[in-house]
Amino acid sequence: MKSKKTAFFCQQCGHQSPKWLGKCPSCDEWNSFIEEEIAGTDARTPPAITFRESPLPIDSIEADEKDRLIIGISEMDRVLGGGIVRGSAVLIGGDPGIGKSTLLLQILDKLAGKGSRVLYISGEESSKQIKLRGGRIGALSKNLFVLVEVSLENILGQIMEIKPEVVVVDSIQTVFSETLSSAPGSVSQVREASEKLIIFSKKSGIPVFLIGHVTKEGSIAGPKVLEHMVDTVLYFEGDSGHAFRIIRSVKNRYGPTNEIGVFEMSGQGLTEVSNPSALFLSERPENSAGSIVVPSMEGTRPILVEIQSLVNETTFGIPRRTTIGVDHNRVSLLAAVLDKVCGFHLGNHDIFINVAGGVKLNEPAIDLGIISAMISSFLNRTIVSGTVVCGEVGLTGEVRGVGQVESRVKEASRMGFTRCIMPKSIALDNLAKIKIDVVGIRNIRELTDHLF
Ligand code: TYD
Ligand code: MG
């Protein structure tokens, strides 16, 4: 019998090596190599599915933006860039228990309710468990088919038989190909299964949703190449302590990235939150030092969120810088700028920054918000109520322009805010239409004059 060809794969990132290695040269993970069979060396492997097509002039190709499947859950449609594109592969990652299976079942039920035949393939739960969950969230359309299966070959066979309009595979780590002897969930199995499903989806035009587990670092488990292979990567965020969940697009070939959809977990599954600003500000303490609201662009939509800061004298050891929801290094940098430019000596103070509601903010436009919250807590003075701030802060304390200022200011005004402190360079006349006082500043030295 011909011996099988094997190689060592990093279980973290999928790096392949002919020898065992202690440390992965690609992702620096220790002790992550496992010997696996190389895909495609087995005699039973069917020949790869290939496209036998000839080149076409681009203007003669038929493609229509309207040719999308609209789910009818608007938060989800927006995250996907306006509905599901036919033939696309979408990868959804998230912590266990966050609600991935619930969301996908609800999406399928919505589509099934409109008459589309859809298929939910699960390798994790029995059909009884899926039925029970479906009953709880009211997902019991007769067009919603459930298949409990883990064999890739059977899955592809069933899809061809049932011919659904949308397929969900929950989860890609449970699917295994009978042509490979390595264990389900191993890098080569995950790669093989997703490759076959993605090629199938492109060929048949059936969109496929793949649910992926995440590692303890929070990235999708299995080879990093998985994220390159699919068209759209979505992450389901939010902590189990809060009821709301955020789905964020980190890659999208058919729409903007960083777009978010906000949901709330209830007894009947996930419900949409169409006014997230109101939700994130609902528990905001009135007249407290260290709290400020910023309009942050999440994808194409502005959302108002509260940034809280606690600046306290260090009582023991090295001053701490702890952040939740914003970049730790960014806060250290801004604290240093504040120290140098404004003379607030934060060197012997602990600094805690928290974005209320568990949202993660990563755009520089919130710099001015972080600085304002720190000043307010340091001086123990309350910022004038009805104020929002936005602007990027440079190393010399200069306040720089940010994009989409008009929609930010509009959202602030809509939520009842009356004043916006922003970079002078963009505090232009075209904001005059909006019912809000615009205060332009050039440097953070001017900030304290306007905050209190
Ligand atoms: P689930 O979709 O199984 O998560 P995942 O597939 O991401 O692992 O969600 C399970 C959690 O959601 C569980 O903690 C219970 C909660 N839940 C509700 O609160 N309400 C509901 O209606 C449902 C179906 C689940
Ligand atoms: Mg699940």
Side-chain angles (χ1 to χ4, degrees), residues 95-102 125 133 136-137 265-269:
D95 290 334
I98 196 95
K100 301 180 292 296
S101 308
T102 308
E125 289 160 293
R133 184 206 305 262
R136 238 174 80 193
I137 60 180
M265 184 61 97
S266 69
Q268 285 79 44

Side-chain angles (χ1 to χ4, degrees), residues 55-348:
L56 287 173
I58 193 160
D59 65 344
S60 70
I61 300 170
E62 275 182 43
D64 197 350
E65 260 294 307
K66 285 195 223 66
D67 195 26
R68 291 187 184 231
L69 273 172
I70 305 295
I71 303 166
I73 301 175
S74 59
E75 291 291 296
M76 193 66 208
D77 282 327
R78 205 197 31 256
V79 170
L80 290 169
I84 306 170
V85 175
R86 287 182 205 277
S88 66
V90 181
L91 181 64
I92 299 182
D95 290 334
I98 196 95
K100 301 180 292 296
S101 308
T102 308
L103 177 69
L104 269 302
L105 203 59
Q106 281 183 270
I107 290 175
L108 287 190
D109 182 65
K110 268 273 181 199
L111 291 166
K114 289 197 259 179
S116 310
R117 188 199 286 252
V118 292
L119 178 61
Y120 180 85
I121 301 165
S122 178
E124 303 201 327
E125 289 160 293
S126 70
S127 35
K128 281 206 184 70
Q129 286 171 312
I130 297 164
K131 164 85 199 246
L132 283 178
R133 184 206 305 262
R136 238 174 80 193
I137 60 180
L140 294 172
S141 301
K142 63 178 190 314
N143 285 325
L144 169 56
F145 286 74
V146 174
L147 172 70
V148 176
E149 181 61 82
V150 288
S151 151
L152 176 65
E153 287 72 23
N154 291 352
I155 287 175
L156 289 174
Q158 288 294 338
I159 297 177
M160 277 185 244
E161 196 147 302
I162 299 177
K163 296 205 173 57
E165 281 187 52
V166 179
V167 175
V168 168
V169 179
D170 186 5
S171 65
I172 188 68
Q173 276 86 8
T174 58
V175 179
F176 78 97
S177 166
E178 286 160 25
T179 59
L180 292 180
S181 64
S182 43
S186 62
V187 168
S188 39
Q189 285 285 11
V190 171
R191 182 153 46 193
E192 174 78 2
S194 15
E195 201 172 68
K196 288 272 159 64
L197 285 164
I198 292 165
I199 292 175
F200 177 81
S201 138
K202 292 267 174 291
K203 250 186 101 106
S204 62
I206 301 173
V208 185
F209 284 83
L210 307 174
I211 295 182
H213 290 171
V214 293
T215 60
K216 58 183 188 298
E217 284 81 27
S219 56
I220 291 172
K224 198 76 188 154
V225 285
L226 200 57
E227 295 198 12
H228 298 295
M229 281 153 68
V230 296
D231 301 306
T232 305
V233 179
L234 307 177
Y235 273 96
F236 214 7
E237 303 168 354
D239 54 307
S240 36
H242 286 107
F244 48 84
R245 308 274 183 267
I246 295 168
I247 189 151
R248 184 187 295 273
S249 67
V250 293
K251 165 185 174 179
N252 195 350
R253 287 186 181 147
Y254 311 113
T257 51
N258 256 330
E259 192 75 72
I260 67 167
V262 186
F263 293 91
E264 199 169 355
M265 184 61 97
S266 69
Q268 285 79 44
L270 292 152
T271 46
E272 289 181 75
V273 174
S274 43
N275 189 357
S277 298
L279 177 79
F280 294 137
L281 297 182
S282 60
E283 285 170 72
R284 185 168 181 239
E286 287 292 315
N287 302 325
S288 317
S291 158
I292 183 77
V293 174
V294 294
S296 171
M297 291 306 293
E298 298 296 323
T300 52
R301 176 171 66 166
I303 289 180
L304 295 186
V305 276
E306 181 196 354
I307 296 181
Q308 297 182 331
S309 167
L310 183 66
V311 179
N312 230 353
E313 212 166 312
T314 309
T315 47
F316 179 76
I318 306 162
R320 295 178 61 181
R321 308 272 183 262
T322 306
T323 66
I324 303 168
V326 289
D327 182 25
H328 179 265
N329 292 325
R330 193 86 203 159
V331 170
S332 299
L333 186 148
L334 293 172
V337 172
L338 202 52
D339 194 327
K340 185 86 179 175
V341 177
C342 299
F344 292 122
H345 297 300
L346 300 170
N348 54 350

Side-chain angles (χ1 to χ4, degrees), residues 404-415 417-420 422 428-438:
Q404 285 141 299
V405 64
E406 207 170 326
S407 40
R408 291 176 203 263
V409 173
K410 264 195 193 136
E411 176 74 359
S413 164
R414 190 178 73 84
M415 293 302 297
F417 287 84
T418 49
R419 218 160 63 102
C420 181
M422 63 164 72
L428 301 170
D429 298 338
N430 62 349
L431 298 175
K433 299 190 293 286
I434 305 165
K435 239 180 71 194
I436 200 162
D437 289 340
V438 171

